[in-house]
Amino acid sequence: MHELVQAVFNGDEKTALHQLIYTLSASGKRYLLRNEILQAFADYCHQSQKPAYFYYSSSVGKLIQYTHEIIFEEESTWFVIRPRIANQEVWKLTADFSSFEQTTPQALLDVRDRLVDRYQNHILEIDLHPFYESSLRIDDARNIGQGLAFLNRYLCNQLLTDPEYWVEMLFKALHGLQYDGIRLLLSDRIPSGIQLAKQIKPALKFLSELEPHEPYEKFRSDLQELGFEPGWGNTAARVKGTLELLDRLIYSPEPGILEAFVARVPAVFRVVLISVHGWVAQEDVLGRDETLGQVIYVLEQARSLENELREQIKLAGLDLLGIKPHVIILTRLIPNCEGTFCNLHLEKVQDTENAWILRVPFGEFNPEITNNWISKFEIWPYLEQFALDAEKELLAQFQGKPNLLIGNYSDGNLVAFLLSRRMKVTQCNIAHSLEKPKHLFSNLYWQDLEDQYHFSVQFTADLISMNAAEFIITSSYQEIVGTPDSMGQYESYKCFTMPQLYHVVDGIDLFSPKFNLVPPGVNENIFFPYSQKENRDSNLRTQIHDLLFRREDPQIYGHLDHPKKRTIFAVDTITSINNLTGLAECFGKSQALQERCNLILLSSKLHPSQATNSDEAAEIQKLYDIIEQYHLNGKIRWIGMRIRSSELGEAYRVVADAQGIYVHFAHFESFGRSILEAMISGLPTFTTQFGGSLEIIENQENEFNVNPTDLEETAKKILDFLEKCDAHAEYWHEVSEWMSQRIHHKYNWHLHSNQLLLLAKMFSFWNFVAPENNEARDRYMEALFHLIYKPRVEKILEKHKGG
């Protein structure tokens, strides 16, 4: 980047840069973001009659393409340049154009503070870089999120370069495995790694003489004589296969062999999924709007994990010892539960044998607050005591410690951190959606937003939990580091300011192997292709068709003059980020779309009076205003009611029956559960280009990714698709089949659970053999918790006590 900057500054294009800066500063704006900068540069090129190549290929053009922010001060202009993914540089251009030099992140944070008139000379700097400095790091940004593969390669290399040490460490890890005092895998008859390597040979010779399907219990005592305890397999062939993998791993280590062996090691039996926020129940009580997707995710993950663990325990031959998996969803108990089971201490998860919802109440403080549902933005004062109470409950339920803690969302991840520190258990984080990048400038103006959102607490909690976690799973690569054009969710925590509170100089190492892509699945018993007629309920189909197209109801607005037109379908809660209003406006502005399609929206609410906050009420009213402004009566149906998952699955299929399409038009989407549901149902799906949903489509030449800020281009993409459908009778079916198969093969819960358990085992092993600087790092996180987080939550608690 230095060469490019110097080429601009010292070359013929310096005048162009000077003119552009003058134009931008004349606008009166002191802070410009990438889209504004690119648009201003395009206007400049046009007005200056620059040749076509100048916008992209000139030195100044390349510099502007890399520039994500420009900040104006009286004496200088600051450039935030992102030359590549996960890399940011700060450059300072003096007002007299005499100097253009790279500077420090600290200088940028000071500039941002001055911008909002909240600069202070001495401020706490949070810098996590020293804790990652000696850690393993992925060296290629393209491999970010592939931490497991990286660790596998590294460990195999270590086995090759220092086999004696690493075989001994492998032996110690295996030798320590047990379940409630029952020794697994190895007994004291095998005292060392060298002896283990030797002992495998006679065991394999013995097993090769048995019938492959010989049950383990028939030869258990023979293996124990050789020093091998239960856990290697349930048949002679399975035990032999597992020992052969270990033998190959010792003598010719390869990543694939290591992964296959670790997958078979019985090391995880008890798992806690932490989703604190509440309203975690089952069908018909799947969360409130702000956490609906998370609750569905956690329930399906619990079912899948329990099933996967059961299968692994069976294949390891441990079910014969009475060992069975135990999965607990930890959430809060809500006394005033509005007729649901959210006040039930313990509830079995449907379609499982031993997965449970464990509800622990918040400490009372003010019962008028704590006995009721609490918004996710107000939950923070109760989490520390909740973690302490939950620890006792979990130990009682499990009759021992869990093997894995999985946090969900910022609050669940903080509780996972607190429990992990106390119980010394592997911690996994799942953000689902980080609030900071969703709310533009939320850190810069945190003081103005504090009463409503308490972002100072939430962003601090995020920093603590993401750094303390042994591993983090994300649904997409973009969730970590974004794209060349946009910053990732975790990347936004790398360097930021909370004016007059602290500066984050280096908040997270994006190249850490702790980041791993493990996308969720979709419940294929509920969401399956429309073409599977044999699995569909004809009565349900009729009911849902009536709901979507004809039924009159106080919770349904609008009728369709021509119900046979192709349907544009959208399902989401009504928020400004989810942008159902933008989709309605896109439809309203395009006469061509209206002539060919109807628009059907399915949300949970229809009237402003149902809104839980002013933003939601405003968005609902805005949707009515758009319908009236563009005269959409007769062309739109808006269904504002919560329907069961089985009904939603059929709704997608009913729209697919008539060759409709699905549009997800959010301004930002971290992943998008409804996208998976629509695609697997066979609906050709258009998704926002901002966020992880970009990866779900894995684009067919950008045909199905849309820009929610460009209504005209979105309408054109949909119309182009419809034209292709008209020109080629099979085109809709080809796209439908491709999308359905993509979800079926790549986004399924079996793959998710298998990979998650593999990560848990591998990172537990890694922390055992190479604990690095984790204790120092975790002590630093505890300091942030006690010195920043707790004093700030006390302020929220004082308000609640007074309320």
Side-chain angles (χ1 to χ4, degrees):
M1 188 50 62
H2 188 270
E3 288 181 6
L4 180 61
V5 171
Q6 293 308 312
V8 174
F9 192 67
N10 297 323
D12 296 336
E13 296 174 13
K14 184 175 182 178
T15 302
L17 180 63
H18 195 293
Q19 291 170 344
L20 176 63
I21 294 299
Y22 178 79
T23 302
L24 288 171
S25 62
S27 71
K29 294 189 71 172
R30 295 176 62 198
Y31 203 140
L32 291 103
L33 298 178
R34 187 169 188 270
N35 285 344
E36 298 170 299
I37 297 164
L38 288 175
Q39 185 59 55
F41 184 57
D43 293 342
Y44 165 78
C45 290
H46 176 72
Q47 290 162 8
S48 304
Q49 298 183 328
K50 297 291 184 184
Y53 80 89
F54 195 83
Y55 180 79
Y56 286 108
S57 303
S58 65
S59 293
V60 71
K62 290 176 183 176
L63 178 65
I64 294 303
Q65 299 297 326
Y66 289 132
T67 300
H68 280 246
E69 297 175 26
I70 289 178
I71 304 173
F72 289 105
E73 287 198 300
E74 190 172 327
E75 298 300 322
S76 50
T77 302
W78 298 77
F79 288 71
V80 179
I81 298 173
R82 194 167 173 261
R84 55 191 176 276
I85 279 176
N87 182 275
Q88 180 177 287
E89 297 177 5
V90 184
W91 289 77
K92 178 182 177 183
L93 175 65
T94 55
D96 61 4
F97 270 66
S98 63
S99 170
F100 198 1
E101 299 292 339
Q102 188 172 358
T103 184
T104 64
Q106 287 92 330
L108 174 65
L109 299 178
D110 285 342
V111 170
R112 287 173 173 160
D113 287 355
R114 289 196 295 269
L115 184 73
V116 293
D117 296 323
R118 284 171 178 161
Y119 171 77
Q120 65 182 51
N121 196 24
H122 299 289
I123 190 167
L124 171 66
E125 288 189 349
I126 297 173
D127 186 356
L128 276 300
H129 176 70
F131 300 106
Y132 292 101
E133 201 167 16
S134 59
S135 300
L136 294 180
R137 293 185 88 239
I138 291 168
D139 54 6
D140 189 335
R142 291 172 295 184
N143 295 327
I144 288 173
Q146 303 297 329
L148 178 64
F150 174 84
L151 275 185
N152 284 347
R153 288 194 300 272
Y154 177 82
L155 287 169
C156 287
N157 286 336
Q158 295 304 303
L159 277 163
L160 284 168
T161 54
D162 190 0
E164 199 168 307
Y165 171 77
W166 284 94
V167 168
E168 195 61 33
M169 295 307 294
L170 180 60
F171 161 75
K172 287 181 178 179
L174 296 176
H175 191 262
L177 288 177
Q178 57 89 29
Y179 176 87
D180 285 357
I182 302 170
R183 289 289 290 271
L184 303 178
L185 297 186
L186 300 176
S187 73
D188 291 335
R189 288 172 182 262
I190 300 177
S192 68
I194 293 172
Q195 191 60 38
L196 171 62
K198 290 178 181 177
Q199 203 69 354
I200 293 172
K201 296 291 190 271
L204 288 174
K205 184 176 183 301
F206 165 72
L207 290 163
S208 64
E209 296 168 0
L210 301 176
E211 289 294 321
H213 297 295
E214 184 83 3
Y216 169 71
E217 62 265 31
K218 295 269 184 80
F219 57 87
R220 174 180 175 180
S221 58
D222 298 287
L223 274 185
Q224 286 179 314
E225 285 292 318
L226 294 170
F228 294 99
E229 292 293 339
W232 296 97
N234 60 341
T235 65
R238 181 78 181 182
V239 174
K240 183 169 177 281
T242 307
L243 285 171
E244 282 174 341
L245 285 169
L246 179 57
D247 190 51
R248 290 175 65 192
L249 182 61
I250 291 171
Y251 292 105
S252 55
E254 296 174 13
I257 295 169
L258 176 60
E259 186 167 315
F261 175 70
V262 171
R264 292 188 178 206
V265 172
V268 180
F269 306 98
R270 297 163 172 155
V271 181
V272 184
L273 313 178
I274 306 167
S275 183
V276 185
H277 178 217
W279 235 257
V280 178
Q282 301 182 69
E283 189 66 58
D284 298 330
V285 200
L286 291 168
R288 291 289 179 95
D289 281 355
E290 62 184 38
T291 51
L292 171 62
Q294 182 192 140
V295 172
I296 293 172
Y297 180 108
V298 170
L299 281 166
E300 291 184 357
Q301 187 185 58
R303 293 188 185 100
S304 179
L305 277 172
E306 196 242 14
N307 189 56
E308 192 68 31
L309 283 168
R310 189 172 301 284
E311 182 64 17
Q312 289 188 9
I313 288 168
K314 179 182 175 184
L315 288 172
L318 295 179
D319 55 334
L320 300 170
L321 304 182
I323 295 175
K324 57 183 180 180
H326 194 170
V327 177
I328 286 178
I329 298 172
L330 174 64
T331 188
R332 61 169 298 228
L333 185 145
I334 307 175
N336 298 335
C337 62
E338 301 177 21
T340 71
F341 290 123
C342 292
N343 63 346
L344 197 63
H345 177 61
L346 201 62
E347 181 185 1
K348 191 174 182 183
V349 176
Q350 294 165 4
D351 303 320
T352 69
E353 292 182 41
N354 201 26
W356 302 82
I357 302 171
L358 173 65
R359 300 185 181 91
V360 176
F362 279 169
E364 279 196 356
F365 300 104
N366 179 355
E368 291 182 18
I369 301 284
T370 54
N371 283 355
N372 298 293
W373 175 81
I374 303 172
S375 162
K376 65 182 180 181
F377 297 115
E378 300 289 334
I379 202 172
W380 303 104
Y382 311 103
L383 297 184
E384 184 178 17
Q385 186 60 48
F386 175 83
L388 293 171
D389 296 340
E391 180 187 10
K392 298 172 191 168
E393 296 271 8
L394 289 169
L395 291 172
Q397 290 296 323
F398 285 132
Q399 294 295 296
K401 292 200 302 185
N403 308 111
L404 176 63
L405 297 165
I406 304 174
N408 289 272
Y409 190 68
S410 300
D411 46 28
N413 288 328
L414 187 75
V415 171
F417 159 72
L418 295 170
L419 287 171
S420 176
R421 285 295 288 159
R422 292 180 60 83
M423 302 172 86
K424 307 302 178 189
V425 174
T426 300
Q427 175 193 349
C428 164
N429 276 19
I430 307 175
H432 294 285
S433 179
L434 290 162
E435 296 292 334
K436 184 169 141 349
K438 281 170 62 177
H439 301 266
L440 190 62
F441 300 133
S442 52
N443 59 290
L444 201 56
Y445 294 100
W446 71 270
Q447 284 140 307
D448 301 330
L449 302 167
E450 191 69 355
D451 286 346
Q452 184 176 359
Y453 294 113
H454 306 298
F455 282 145
S456 68
V457 175
Q458 181 155 9
F459 300 166
T460 304
D462 287 334
L463 279 173
I464 292 168
S465 59
M466 70 174 65
N467 282 288
E470 272 76 22
F471 66 99
I472 297 169
I473 68 173
T474 69
S475 298
S476 67
Y477 177 84
Q478 276 93 343
E479 193 175 331
I480 310 169
V481 287
T483 69
D485 299 329
S486 62
M487 188 175 284
Q489 291 190 61
Y490 281 95
E491 189 180 1
S492 74
Y493 284 78
K494 180 77 174 169
C495 178
F496 68 96
T497 173
M498 302 287 282
Q500 298 177 338
L501 183 61
Y502 56 69
H503 282 174
V504 176
V505 177
D506 195 333
I508 185 72
D509 185 0
L510 302 166
F511 290 84
S512 168
K514 73 166 61 185
F515 284 106
N516 283 270
L517 268 63
V518 187
V522 60
N523 187 336
E524 295 187 44
N525 294 319
I526 295 172
F527 303 100
F528 55 84
Y530 77 101
S531 55
Q532 292 180 11
K533 308 290 185 188
E534 68 279 7
N535 295 331
R536 296 176 65 178
D537 182 327
S538 58
N539 290 330
L540 180 62
R541 181 180 179 180
T542 301
Q543 291 170 21
I544 296 301
H545 189 277
D546 182 59
L547 173 73
L548 293 178
F549 294 97
R550 285 191 294 270
R551 187 191 306 175
E552 293 185 9
D553 188 282
Q555 290 304 118
I556 299 175
Y557 179 84
H559 68 281
L560 301 177
D561 292 338
H562 303 285
K564 298 292 184 185
K565 286 182 182 178
R566 203 185 294 265
T567 298
I568 299 172
F569 190 41
V571 179
D572 222 326
T573 52
I574 299 184
T575 67
S576 56
I577 290 173
N578 291 342
N579 197 34
L580 287 180
T581 53
L583 178 58
E585 188 167 11
C586 175
F587 183 70
K589 285 188 169 183
S590 173
Q591 287 300 318
L593 274 183
Q594 293 174 44
E595 287 168 11
R596 303 185 66 158
C597 303
N598 290 313
L599 177 61
I600 299 180
L601 307 176
L602 177 59
S603 69
S604 59
K605 294 169 184 173
L606 189 69
H607 305 292
S609 60
Q610 297 171 312
T612 54
N613 57 61
S614 58
D615 290 344
E616 187 179 39
E619 201 67 10
I620 292 172
Q621 186 56 53
K622 183 179 176 182
L623 192 44
Y624 281 112
D625 295 341
I626 288 169
I627 293 170
E628 184 174 342
Q629 178 184 351
Y630 293 102
H631 310 294
L632 296 180
N633 289 307
K635 302 170 186 176
I636 189 170
R637 288 262 289 177
W638 175 8
I639 300 155
M641 61 177 71
R642 180 78 64 84
I643 64 175
R644 297 166 64 94
S645 296
S646 57
E647 295 169 333
L648 178 58
E650 190 60 26
Y652 291 120
R653 291 188 288 271
V654 165
V655 174
D657 285 334
Q659 296 190 16
I661 62 171
Y662 186 80
V663 181
H664 188 82
F665 208 52
H667 286 300
F668 177 83
E669 178 54 75
S670 57
F671 190 65
R673 177 180 51 84
S674 67
I675 298 168
L676 301 185
E677 296 168 353
M679 285 176 68
I680 201 166
S681 302
L683 273 176
T685 299
F686 293 80
T687 73
T688 177
Q689 68 185 43
F690 300 121
S693 54
L694 200 66
E695 290 173 37
I696 301 176
I697 299 288
E698 201 173 60
N699 219 336
Q700 296 182 328
E701 297 179 357
N702 204 30
E703 185 177 351
F704 295 98
N705 291 123
V706 294
N707 182 347
T709 65
D710 192 337
L711 305 186
E712 187 176 337
E713 179 60 25
T714 297
K716 183 180 183 300
K717 281 192 177 183
I718 295 172
L719 289 165
D720 286 347
F721 171 74
L722 299 180
E723 291 288 347
K724 290 179 182 177
C725 292
D726 291 345
H728 175 37
E730 291 302 307
Y731 185 69
W732 186 94
H733 294 283
E734 289 168 4
V735 173
S736 168
E737 178 67 13
W738 178 85
M739 290 198 170
S740 184
Q741 287 300 313
R742 174 160 175 76
I743 303 306
H744 175 71
H745 290 296
K746 183 166 182 179
Y747 297 97
N748 65 72
W749 282 112
H750 169 70
L751 284 176
H752 173 96
S753 297
N754 202 289
Q755 192 74 355
L756 177 54
L757 292 173
L758 185 59
L759 284 164
K761 296 172 188 178
M762 183 59 76
F763 277 91
S764 294
F765 173 64
W766 178 248
N767 285 333
F768 175 77
V769 299
E772 296 181 351
N773 207 8
N774 291 353
E775 183 59 26
R777 176 204 66 190
D778 290 347
R779 288 291 185 187
Y780 191 86
M781 294 304 105
E782 284 185 341
L784 294 182
F785 177 79
H786 287 286
L787 299 178
I788 299 177
Y789 175 90
K790 285 187 71 171
R792 298 214 63 80
V793 300
E794 285 295 328
K795 295 182 179 182
I796 305 174
L797 188 59
E798 285 304 314
K799 284 189 177 180
H800 287 189
K801 285 179 177 178

